[in-house]
Amino acid sequence: MSAPHPIPLKERKLANGLRLITVLDRTTPTATVNLWYHVGSKDERPGRTGFAHLFEHLMFQGSANVSKAEHLSLIESVGGSANATTWLDRTNYFATVPAEWVELILWMEADRLGTLLAALDQANLDNQRDVVKNEKRSSYDNQPYGTAYLELLALAYPKGHPYHHPTIGSMEDLDAASLQDVRDFFATWYAPNNAVLTVVGDIDEAEIAAAVERHFGGIAANSELPEHPDLVLRAPLGGEIRKTVKDKVPDPRLHLAFRAPVLASPDLPALEIACQILAGGRGSRLTRRLVRQEQVAQDAGLSVLPFVGGASLVVGSATLRPGANAAKLESLFLEELAGLAATGPTPNEMERARALIESEEMSLRSDPESIADQIGMYATLLNDPGRINRDLAIYQAVDAAAVQRAASLFSAENRVVLWYEPVEQAAVETA
């Protein structure tokens, strides 16, 4: 296909360090505001984990001029929607509203960035601490296989590494956190010079720039913004790590993890294509072999979790079909990974992968929310918002040899094997 028209980014930086990126998009009469803060669970201190995620909740609990729960109710009252997410490397807040209401979002985002501490009291902290505990119980502890990512991170990254602990954090750490601890975390990381604000939609870009200056310009930068922690892994994984978890799960499930190149690595696109060939839909190698031909699995997946430093992670899973043999499932899964490393992809597989990439790129470009999020990610984590306009060419330039090389990391020396086993049945045969 011919290269799509570039997304027309305009970037400005306020005197306090806030980066503003705007994109004019007339496809719908809406505007999306996406605010990325360069702080995630990797930036937490030992004994004080869970703070990054806690603020995803506290940021909706009021500021000097917006009362508790009013942030969301105001957005919904004008027909908009909003949410937030936290991950290892970042936290982001986003909202989409009819375009005429975009300044409301900008004002509220500035108000909570500049004045959240005015509303953060012990009652708010205690309340949201309980909310996080309930979230952990419902999304992790009481969800079948819900602790899988927690287990994989703990196994793939050594104790003390910033990626070792999960974003949800330790409930013991949250219980021990004082109001001052939490206030200090916000004061350290929530600063305009640690943020990227992206606005995409049916907007007047000059008016947006003026509104952002008006609402954010008076918020002071943090002149002592700390460095992010050292993410270097001092040694490779160095051999297979294996664990079995007995839990209240309906069926045994295999989870795999492999250390992988970081987000900025030129080798990562080839690895993502390798995962697509192996597990991207019904025609993929793993689905065809494990689910349809051998019928040892109910499902099969493999994908990349891209991280900024040290190593990203490839994670895979397959749920054992009732009556099938667990050892055979694991063996066939690993055999397919090894097969791609040994012989590389076929021409048809590369053609299919390129077609899927083109389809995904066109889908992203039709969605202002996806555009804003992707720009925020590249600006925050790679300092390269224009990467969004080079993505398709980068992926299309990947050849079969690069995919084969990327698949070489699926080795026993770089492998975490995690089995979930129903507590009601005897040990799953995995050897």
Side-chain angles (χ1 to χ4, degrees):
M1 64 173 287
S2 59
H5 293 297
I7 294 171
L9 290 75
K10 290 185 180 178
E11 182 171 2
R12 304 165 177 84
K13 181 178 280 191
L14 275 61
N16 60 12
L18 178 72
R19 297 175 70 181
L20 169 64
I21 301 171
T22 57
V23 176
L24 180 62
D25 184 340
R26 302 284 192 206
T27 55
T28 60
T30 64
T32 293
V33 176
N34 200 315
L35 185 55
W36 277 60
Y37 291 97
H38 198 178
V39 58
S41 58
K42 75 166 187 285
D43 299 298
E44 297 162 348
R45 294 187 292 111
R48 292 295 180 267
T49 64
F51 284 23
H53 174 254
L54 179 65
F55 271 100
E56 181 192 320
H57 294 265
L58 289 171
M59 287 281 275
F60 291 96
Q61 296 306 301
S63 47
N65 300 295
V66 179
S67 63
K68 183 177 180 180
E70 191 178 14
H71 191 108
L72 286 175
S73 65
L74 282 173
I75 293 171
E76 291 168 358
S77 72
V78 300
S81 61
N83 212 329
T85 66
T86 312
W87 195 220
L88 283 75
D89 292 318
R90 52 74 182 161
T91 309
N92 76 319
Y93 301 85
F94 47 95
T96 298
V97 291
E100 63 266 28
W101 290 102
V102 65
E103 189 166 355
L104 171 67
I105 308 303
L106 297 174
W107 172 74
M108 288 197 297
E109 288 292 0
D111 195 63
R112 60 183 179 180
L113 172 58
T115 71
L116 184 87
L117 294 183
L120 179 54
D121 56 20
Q122 190 65 48
N124 256 349
L125 173 58
D126 292 342
N127 175 267
Q128 293 309 303
R129 192 159 30 196
D130 288 341
V131 169
V132 171
K133 289 180 181 179
N134 286 332
E135 179 181 343
K136 184 175 185 295
R137 283 191 287 268
S138 63
S139 300
Y140 296 85
D141 301 338
N142 298 326
Q143 186 75 19
Y145 319 106
T147 58
Y149 278 1
L150 280 64
E151 295 280 357
L152 291 174
L153 287 171
L155 294 169
Y157 300 97
K159 191 172 183 180
H161 190 275
Y163 291 159
H164 177 81
H165 72 273
T167 300
I168 193 74
S170 158
M171 299 305 101
E172 292 76 18
D173 287 356
L174 286 178
D175 281 337
S178 69
L179 181 61
Q180 191 59 50
D181 288 334
V182 176
R183 294 173 69 90
D184 288 346
F185 185 88
F186 181 87
T188 298
W189 295 107
Y190 278 76
N193 53 322
N194 197 40
V196 174
L197 175 64
T198 305
V199 184
V200 177
D202 189 7
I203 58 174
D204 182 308
E205 291 178 288
E207 289 182 1
I208 293 295
V212 169
E213 183 65 52
R214 190 160 57 245
H215 298 306
F216 287 87
I219 302 173
N222 180 3
S223 60
E224 299 180 354
L225 191 68
E227 295 290 325
H228 294 283
D230 181 6
L231 298 174
V232 173
L233 291 172
R234 302 301 181 188
L237 194 52
E240 183 182 89
I241 298 173
R242 180 177 288 270
K243 182 176 181 179
T244 298
V245 173
K246 294 178 182 291
D247 203 355
K248 293 179 181 178
V249 295
D251 298 293
R253 179 181 287 178
L254 169 68
H255 289 265
L256 297 169
F258 305 86
R259 286 188 189 165
V262 296
L263 177 63
S265 170
D267 297 325
L268 194 66
L271 181 61
E272 291 178 326
I273 291 175
C275 290
Q276 191 174 71
I277 288 168
L278 287 161
R282 288 178 55 82
S284 63
R285 292 191 181 194
L286 287 168
T287 299
R288 188 171 61 244
R289 181 87 183 278
L290 275 60
V291 178
R292 294 162 55 192
Q293 295 176 359
E294 302 289 345
Q295 298 187 6
V296 293
Q298 302 175 53
D299 50 59
L302 192 73
S303 59
V304 180
L305 301 180
F307 300 148
V308 168
S312 297
L313 209 61
V314 174
V315 293
S317 66
T319 308
L320 189 69
R321 184 183 291 269
N325 180 272
K328 183 176 181 181
L329 168 59
E330 181 180 326
S331 175
L332 291 175
F333 199 123
L334 297 177
E335 186 179 305
E336 287 301 317
L337 302 187
L340 184 60
T343 62
T346 67
N348 284 343
E349 286 174 325
M350 289 299 297
E351 183 178 347
R352 177 176 175 271
R354 291 191 178 100
L356 287 171
I357 290 165
E358 290 175 6
S359 175
E360 290 169 1
E361 178 71 11
M362 293 303 102
S363 177
L364 180 151
R365 284 170 170 268
S366 67
D367 180 13
E369 292 184 355
S370 296
I371 292 171
D373 198 54
Q374 197 87 344
I375 290 171
M377 177 185 73
Y378 284 144
T380 302
L381 302 183
L382 297 182
N383 193 28
D384 184 12
R387 166 70 184 263
I388 192 171
N389 284 323
R390 305 194 307 276
D391 261 346
L392 182 58
I394 288 170
Y395 282 90
Q396 293 288 43
V398 173
D399 60 18
V403 173
Q404 183 176 358
R405 288 193 301 272
S408 66
L409 68 81
F410 300 132
S411 67
E413 291 299 304
N414 189 38
R415 184 165 69 216
V416 174
V417 180
L418 173 67
W419 272 98
Y420 275 77
E421 174 187 320
V423 291
E424 297 82 5
Q425 79 174 51
V428 175
E429 180 191 353
T430 59

